[in-house]
Amino acid sequence: HELTAILASNQLSLNCQPVAAAADAARTPLYYEVLLHPTAEGERSIATRDLIAVAERLQRITEIDRWVVRHVLQWMRAHSDTLARIGGLSINLSGQSVTNPLFLKYLQAELARGDLPGDKLIFEISEADAVEGHAQTQLFMRQLQRHGCRFTLDEFGAGNSSYTSLKSMKLDYLKIDRALVREIGTSMIDEALVRSILETGSFLGIRTVAGFVENEEALAKLAEMGVDCVQGYLIGEPRPLETLA
């Protein structure tokens, strides 16, 4: 009931966090990742991760994904000038949404209106979800790539089938799993794994993204290793999407 009330009363908001080139000292944003932020207070106060966990358990996460997509598309339509100046907006999608035919039809209908540049939309799908629903994920990607949409495989390096899944996916970005980035300066094992991911991404022509970059030492190490893009509090803190306009 609380989840229904949160959705019905729009007790949600959207933040955005920049992603920049690792080698760019100016840290100019290449694009922004959209982050969900519940605004419910009092008894309905809930953390984002808990809201998502509850929605997934109740098989209702697609309702949240649709809310996010709808509001992002509304913002894009209302701020075409700002949209033209930024590289795009990245939206995280759950596996339940990616494998939902009705959700795909909704996105196709929105893009078919022809008033949005599809190449400004980047969809992030976790490696685990992509592997679990591999055939449906491929279909989802192919249909939206026809409109110019781009795709990121998130949490890469955490699963058991990481490299196998890359062979049949046309991806734009690989986001390295946070656990590998967090100790990149102190763990030789994590460094070796990240270098392996970078080599594979380079060979396949896929740009790599390292999130959770929070200090200069980690940034310098990742740049030296050849990571393409970085994200984290050092690069820029999340801020309300409205402030981009």
Side-chain angles (χ1 to χ4, degrees):
H1 296 301
E2 290 182 6
L3 176 59
T4 299
I6 288 172
L7 288 167
S9 56
N10 282 323
Q11 293 178 334
L12 298 167
S13 65
L14 297 177
N15 290 338
C16 62
Q17 188 174 31
V19 176
D24 181 11
R27 297 171 189 169
T28 305
L30 296 172
Y31 64 88
Y32 291 85
E33 179 180 357
V34 175
L35 304 170
L36 181 68
H37 177 65
T39 56
E41 298 180 354
E43 293 183 359
R44 291 203 184 104
S45 178
I46 185 171
T48 303
R49 63 180 179 275
D50 295 330
L51 175 67
I52 292 173
V54 169
E56 287 180 335
R57 188 167 67 249
L58 297 176
Q59 299 287 303
R60 295 184 61 185
I61 189 64
T62 297
E63 294 177 52
I64 293 179
D65 285 348
R66 187 160 178 153
W67 187 97
V68 172
V69 169
R70 183 172 71 253
H71 283 79
V72 168
L73 297 186
Q74 288 174 355
W75 184 92
M76 292 172 70
R77 289 187 171 107
H79 301 92
S80 56
D81 291 343
T82 303
L83 184 63
R85 296 194 302 268
I86 64 176
L89 296 171
S90 181
I91 303 173
N92 290 275
L93 295 180
S94 69
Q96 292 178 29
S97 296
V98 171
T99 58
N100 185 326
L102 294 179
F103 185 75
L104 174 58
K105 287 183 179 180
Y106 164 70
L107 281 172
Q108 288 176 306
E110 289 290 328
L111 291 166
R113 291 171 56 176
D115 60 347
L116 288 172
D119 62 347
K120 296 288 186 177
L121 281 169
I122 306 168
F123 293 109
E124 292 196 21
I125 305 171
S126 76
E127 179 201 337
D129 286 339
V131 170
E132 184 175 348
H134 189 61
Q136 291 165 298
T137 299
Q138 285 186 295
L139 173 64
F140 183 88
M141 292 174 61
R142 285 197 302 269
Q143 294 298 321
L144 295 184
Q145 283 168 339
R146 293 176 180 175
H147 295 277
C149 298
R150 294 176 283 167
F151 284 87
T152 298
L153 192 62
D154 196 9
E155 300 174 3
F156 187 77
N160 296 322
S161 304
S162 300
Y163 295 96
T164 303
S165 62
L166 292 181
K167 293 166 61 177
S168 54
M169 285 185 174
K170 184 180 178 183
L171 294 163
D172 299 279
Y173 298 96
L174 279 179
K175 182 173 281 189
I176 303 166
D177 186 66
R178 69 185 71 180
L180 299 178
V181 177
R182 189 175 292 124
E183 298 182 16
I184 193 64
T186 57
S187 170
M188 295 180 64
I189 295 176
D190 287 350
E191 180 177 339
L193 291 172
V194 170
R195 288 190 185 277
S196 175
I197 292 171
L198 297 178
E199 183 177 350
T200 301
S202 177
F203 179 79
L204 295 174
I206 305 172
R207 303 186 75 183
T208 48
V209 183
F212 296 88
V213 179
E214 299 181 352
N215 57 69
E216 294 287 353
E217 293 76 14
L219 175 60
K221 183 65 175 179
L222 291 164
E224 176 269 322
M225 293 172 66
V227 169
D228 295 302
C229 310
V230 287
Q231 178 183 10
Y233 276 77
L234 179 68
I235 309 305
E237 297 186 11
R239 64 178 190 174
L241 180 61
E242 296 80 13
T243 64
L244 286 184

